[in-house]
Amino acid sequence: MTDFTMTTDADGIATITWDVPAKSMNVMSLAGFAELDAAMDAALADPGVKGILITSGKKDFAGGMDLNVIAEMRAGGAQAIFDGVMAMHAVLRKIERAGMDPKTLKGGKPIAAALPGTALGIGLELPLACHRIFAADNPKAKIGLPEIMVGIFPGAGGTTRLARKMGAMMAAPYLLEGKLSDPKSAKAGGLIDEVVAPDALLARAKEWLLAATDADLVKPWDAKGYKMPGGAPYHPAGFMTFVGASAMVLGKTMGVYPAAKALLSAVYEGALVPFDTALKIEARWFTHVLMNPSSTAMIRSLFINKEALEKGANRPALTDQSVQKLGVIGAGMMGAGIAYVSANAGIQVVLIDATQEAADRGRAHAESLLDKGIARRKVTPEKKAEVLARISATTDYAALAGCDLVVEAVFEDPKVKAEVTAKVEAATGPGCILATNTSTLPITGLARASTRPEAFIGIHFFSPVDKMNLVEIIRGKQTGPTAVAKALDFVRQIRKTPIVVNDARFFFANRCIIPYINEGIRMVAEGVEPALVENAAKLVGMPLGPLQLVDETSIDLGVKIAKATRAAMGDAYPDGAVDTVLFAMADAGRLGKKANAGFYAYDAQGKREGLWPGLATAHPVAASQPDLTEVQHRLLFAQVLEAVRALEDGVLTDIREGDVGAILGWGFAPWSGGPFSWLDMIGTPRAVEICDALAAAHGPRFAAPTLLREMAAGNQQFYSRFAPQVNAA
Ligand code: NAD
């Protein structure tokens, strides 16, 4: 197997083509690196070679590092990681120096990278070591360094090279936020050097190689008198940059993402020393991050497991069930969003509401999203017309004829939903699957209105549909495998991430998020300082504190859910203390963000101003306050114990879905890799110890579930017991 092949033409240009066999996208492996190194040695040593072109045999350049490489390196411990990274630095540095005399900087061979399409991670770090980067004018291509998104940072010189090429400030969005650009924006941002018509890509790169002079080969940081753009740390401008960047990173990450801080340290410390020492510093920080369990967990959940679920890890083995024609009933907030994302993915959509006006409003929602896309130059007018043409808005159920999937998103009322079910079934053929987007009503109950309960399923989207990537698929008691496969294929078509769970009150995501909100509100009722509650949540990596979250989702919705839950549970209902606070807020008209008044105060434009001062009157703050860790444990355990119970009850059947669903569905502390990864990180015995203390202080809702206690007794981990096949990167 060869990932890299080399041919030399009559002009003396050696073309090294990256084309990993049997993969649609190039990824770098250790063997691949060795081949690249050998090809480079041969080209540099061959007197007939005048210049070297590195390109790809595929439509894209490369997707990044094979994550198994990281797993392999990690298995050998810190020294193995450091040595592995330094070996990569040596190859890339050899490319950069290209055989030139280190003193005179003369006599090297020009090396160019030609990127036909996407170039991510090492797929950009390799070009950054070359002397010039050409990219085909391919608007679909993505260029950038997304490592930070999975809890690591560019560790093959990308951090050091980009910071020195652009300056820390300009490099920040690419390094710290993982910003990806199309080729034209990448050129404008200074990531690459030239954008060329796709069919002229190689010719233009060769032309440059043949004309390149010694001076074209010397990187600014290898030339005498190099100064970092924007100023190195002890330069007045650099001082401002680094102090600001440090504060910004801490503000954004709340200190819980080790990669962001390590990256900044690598840039800062690297800027004070010569280039080769900077690479060594980068390698040390990279090793530090890889040794942190957070990076293992993030890569496993956000990359490996997410991808496995998207590829159908839990799909019944049936033929392709891709949706040809979709019906959406209810053109409100959710229905309109579902229609939009589906039409955007090329699916024909019939969008039905009770009145033509409401149906048209739903279609207009898609139009306004497309217009926003046009304003941001992400959508062309032709694309807008194409997508809108796929959505027909009507009140006529007869238009559903030929639909193979219908998603219902009408009011959250079992009676209304039952009527709609009957009408849909009368208008569609026996092969049509009917899905409900209910957020709270059990699927098995709603399926009673269906004459084909095996074809009835829950497909639960999150709001806003166009932004939220998780879709929760819920199997009712009688739901059959075809319905599950249809739902999964639909989610794949619209490029979202599915989890499949069994039916139970609130399914999985809402089941975990409601106790989080309730715990926050309960603390306010107890007299815990509301700011402590909110900040404790953020400091542990939750994107929103529980009080802000309930303001965003609306307090009247919380009241509605509380009333329905109380009615269903009777005396066993545990959240009376929460309701006292929640109902009083609703009675005072403080319904949350939409009412410009909730746990927070808002200005007339709806901008959040801070916690509502009236809270202190309604719920006086106690003289003695809990410590930060205790508040954080209460907020985290409220969620993770529910996740464990969902696994125990058989609602969750795969912990990978629990972890991925938690992060994508409600933003559960992404640094942790999700609830099960977090429990593995702290260890089940320690988790039970914390539960015991919390239960003693705050009540039986924190009692360790039997499963957790049993696992703690044997010091078991969730991933080794429930997902031993998953390779932790
Ligand atoms: P919405 O009130 O914005 O929209 C409901 C739409 O259904 C309205 O346009 C209404 O005219 C229409 N409708 C009502 N009865 C109808 C009927 N008999 N025939 C045709 N159309 C009818 O509500 P929404 O927020 O879009 O929620 C819809 C569903 O999605 C609910 O089941 C809700 O629980 C669920 N859901 C909501 C959210 C959320 O965040 N809002 C999230 C997930 C799921």
Side-chain angles (χ1 to χ4, degrees), residues 347-415:
I347 302 172
Q348 290 295 333
V349 182
V350 175
L351 179 59
I352 292 187
D353 206 298
T355 63
Q356 185 63 43
E357 196 195 343
D360 289 341
R361 222 181 300 127
R363 191 171 180 275
H365 173 69
E367 185 165 10
S368 79
L369 289 176
L370 289 160
D371 284 337
K372 272 189 204 153
I374 291 181
R376 286 191 327 209
R377 300 197 306 138
K378 297 273 174 216
V379 176
T380 60
E382 298 76 47
K383 165 97 177 168
K384 174 186 161 184
E386 224 175 82
V387 173
L388 279 182
R390 291 195 195 106
I391 306 178
S392 58
T394 176
T395 57
D396 183 8
Y397 279 69
L400 295 176
C403 282
D404 50 335
L405 175 69
V406 174
V407 180
E408 162 282 298
V410 298
F411 297 140
E412 189 75 340
D413 177 337
K415 266 223 290 281

Side-chain angles (χ1 to χ4, degrees), residues 174-190:
Y174 300 105
L175 295 175
L176 279 170
E177 293 166 22
K179 177 179 167 185
L180 306 182
S181 306
D182 61 31
K184 280 199 172 129
S185 322
K187 157 93 174 73

Side-chain angles (χ1 to χ4, degrees), residues 514-545:
I514 292 170
Y516 168 67
I517 291 176
N518 284 352
E519 200 59 32
I521 296 176
R522 200 187 307 267
M523 284 193 247
V524 172
E526 287 169 12
V528 178
E529 173 69 70
L532 174 56
V533 174
E534 293 292 89
N535 287 329
K538 290 196 189 150
L539 284 167
V540 83
M542 294 299 295
L544 302 183

Side-chain angles (χ1 to χ4, degrees), residues 586-605:
D587 289 345
R590 301 195 68 86
L591 301 183
K593 188 170 194 290
K594 67 177 181 188
N596 258 1
F599 284 97
Y600 281 81
Y602 300 81
D603 70 12
Q605 279 73 47

Side-chain angles (χ1 to χ4, degrees), residues 492-538:
R492 182 178 40 72
Q493 280 174 287
I494 57 174
R495 292 184 286 275
K496 294 197 183 283
T497 309
I499 61 171
V500 182
V501 302
N502 285 316
D503 196 15
R505 177 166 288 281
F506 302 135
F507 320 131
F508 174 63
N510 285 340
R511 173 183 182 151
C512 299
I513 195 71
I514 292 170
Y516 168 67
I517 291 176
N518 284 352
E519 200 59 32
I521 296 176
R522 200 187 307 267
M523 284 193 247
V524 172
E526 287 169 12
V528 178
E529 173 69 70
L532 174 56
V533 174
E534 293 292 89
N535 287 329
K538 290 196 189 150

Side-chain angles (χ1 to χ4, degrees), residues 82 85-86 89-90 93 96-97 153 155 157 159-161 164 221-222 265-286:
F82 180 75
V85 174
M86 286 308 292
H89 281 327
R93 192 66 175 131
E96 192 158 55
R97 303 294 266 179
F153 69 82
T159 296
T160 301
R161 286 196 174 85
R164 293 200 175 211
W221 44 89
D222 285 327
S265 300
V267 172
Y268 178 91
E269 293 164 17
L272 298 170
V273 294
F275 186 79
D276 288 296
T277 314
L279 288 180
K280 210 183 251 184
I281 289 173
E282 185 192 291
R284 289 203 195 287
W285 278 114
F286 189 70

Side-chain angles (χ1 to χ4, degrees), residues 330 332-334 353-354 397 409-412 417 437 439 460-461 463:
M333 184 163 90
M334 299 304 287
D353 206 298
Y397 279 69
V410 298
F411 297 140
E412 189 75 340
K417 291 197 187 284
N437 182 48
S439 31
H460 179 212
F461 284 85
S463 174

